């Protein structure tokens, strides 16, 4: 039985090959609120968020030789004897780097005013939103490394050394931004007549400069058309709504 007269040795256990990844991130959240003492009902609020991330991935795999021996001893359990065969095995046979970086933030500002006088209630909202994002990532690797060389030697020698292959490097970079302004006014008379007007203006770098801005107005009206009540039955309320937008 051939399996009793051979032994295979695995030097891959001492090649120091590896696959690793290191990730770091920082997230910041802040907010500030202010109640105006000079005008009751006027409030301001600002929020800020920022996220920064970086990642570093690295892989190192080499080639190793796989030996098969005839073995020694009466039971053929001692490693040794003649070499029956030698096979070269690729444990990815590559040095690979993949660093990346990302940075994004969002800034929001709110201004609100609420006032009730008699049967009239007015609510005003103004806000802006601004955000930007940036990312950059590189993928770099070299196949067919120099035998018995350290991990970084593959890049030092590049594709010019005997036994070294030609590497590949690619980069992906992106940047985006957006800006929005919103205004809204609500009016309520005795909880019977309601009206709301809002307008939003947005800009995004996803569009060409001549088409970057868009404006979205909206008008909403709501009123009661009938109200009846008795001592035996609860109030019956019928509402009419007429939203419109352009």
């Amino acid at each position: 039985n051939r399996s009793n007269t051979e032994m295979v040795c695995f030097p891959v256990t001492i090649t120091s090959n590896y696959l690793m990844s290191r990730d770091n991130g920082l997230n910041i959240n802040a907010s500030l609120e202010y109640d105006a003492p000079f005008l009751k009902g006027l409030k301001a609020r600002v929020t800020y968020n920022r996220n920064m991330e970086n990642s570093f991935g690295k892989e190192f795999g080499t080639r190793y030789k796989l030996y098969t021996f005839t073995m020694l001893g009466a039971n053929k359990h001692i490693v040794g004897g003649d070499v029956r065969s030698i096979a070269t095995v690729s444990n990815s046979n590559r040095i690979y780097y993949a660093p990346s970086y990302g940075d994004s933030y969002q800034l929001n500002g709110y201004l609100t005013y609420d006032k009730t006088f008699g049967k009239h209630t007015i609510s005003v909202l103004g806000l802006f939103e601004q955000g930007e994002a940036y990312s950059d990532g590189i993928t770099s690797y070299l196949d067919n490394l120099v035998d018995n060389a350290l991990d970084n030697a593959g890049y030092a020698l590049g594709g010019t050394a005997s036994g070294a292959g030609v590497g590949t490097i690619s980069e992906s970079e992106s940047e985006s931004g957006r800006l929005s302004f919103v205004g809204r006014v609500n009016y309520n008379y005795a909880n019977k007549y309601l009206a709301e007007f809002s307008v939003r203006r947005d800009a995004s770098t996803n569009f060409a400069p001549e088409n970057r801005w868009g404006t979205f107005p909206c008008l909403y009206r709501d009123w009661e058309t009938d109200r009846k009540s008795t001592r035996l039955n609860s109030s019956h309320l019928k509402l009419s709504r007429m939203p419109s937008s352009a």
Side-chain angles (χ1 to χ4, degrees), residues 150-189:
L150 298 176
D151 52 3
N152 292 322
Y155 278 111
L157 298 176
T160 61
S162 176
V166 178
T168 300
I169 299 176
S170 63
E171 180 183 11
S172 175
E173 185 178 19
S174 67
E175 188 173 13
S176 63
R178 64 188 186 279
L179 181 63
S180 300
F181 298 95
V182 179
R184 186 185 69 192
V185 179
N186 293 86
Y187 173 74
N188 183 327
Y189 175 74

Side-chain angles (χ1 to χ4, degrees), residues 117-240:
F117 47 97
K119 296 182 178 182
H120 305 273
T121 299
I122 295 177
S123 177
V124 180
L125 167 69
L127 68 87
F128 77 91
E129 178 181 292
Q130 177 178 312
E132 292 183 88
Y134 172 81
S135 66
D136 190 4
I138 297 175
T139 299
S140 177
Y141 68 87
L142 181 71
D143 288 321
N144 301 322
L145 302 179
V146 177
D147 289 339
N148 302 317
L150 298 176
D151 52 3
N152 292 322
Y155 278 111
L157 298 176
T160 61
S162 176
V166 178
T168 300
I169 299 176
S170 63
E171 180 183 11
S172 175
E173 185 178 19
S174 67
E175 188 173 13
S176 63
R178 64 188 186 279
L179 181 63
S180 300
F181 298 95
V182 179
R184 186 185 69 192
V185 179
N186 293 86
Y187 173 74
N188 183 327
Y189 175 74
N191 290 324
K192 185 175 182 180
Y193 298 102
L194 310 175
E196 176 184 299
F197 175 75
S198 64
V199 60
R200 183 181 185 111
R201 186 160 171 79
D202 297 315
S204 173
T205 57
N206 292 331
F207 304 97
E210 62 272 15
N211 298 315
R212 187 155 293 172
W213 285 93
T215 304
F216 310 94
C218 180
L219 176 63
Y220 180 83
R221 290 165 289 175
D222 187 351
W223 65 89
E224 299 176 9
T225 58
D226 188 28
R227 177 186 293 272
K228 297 179 180 179
S229 61
T230 65
R231 295 183 179 180
L232 299 178
N233 299 306
S234 60
S235 298
H236 172 72
L237 179 64
K238 182 179 179 182
L239 297 179
S240 296

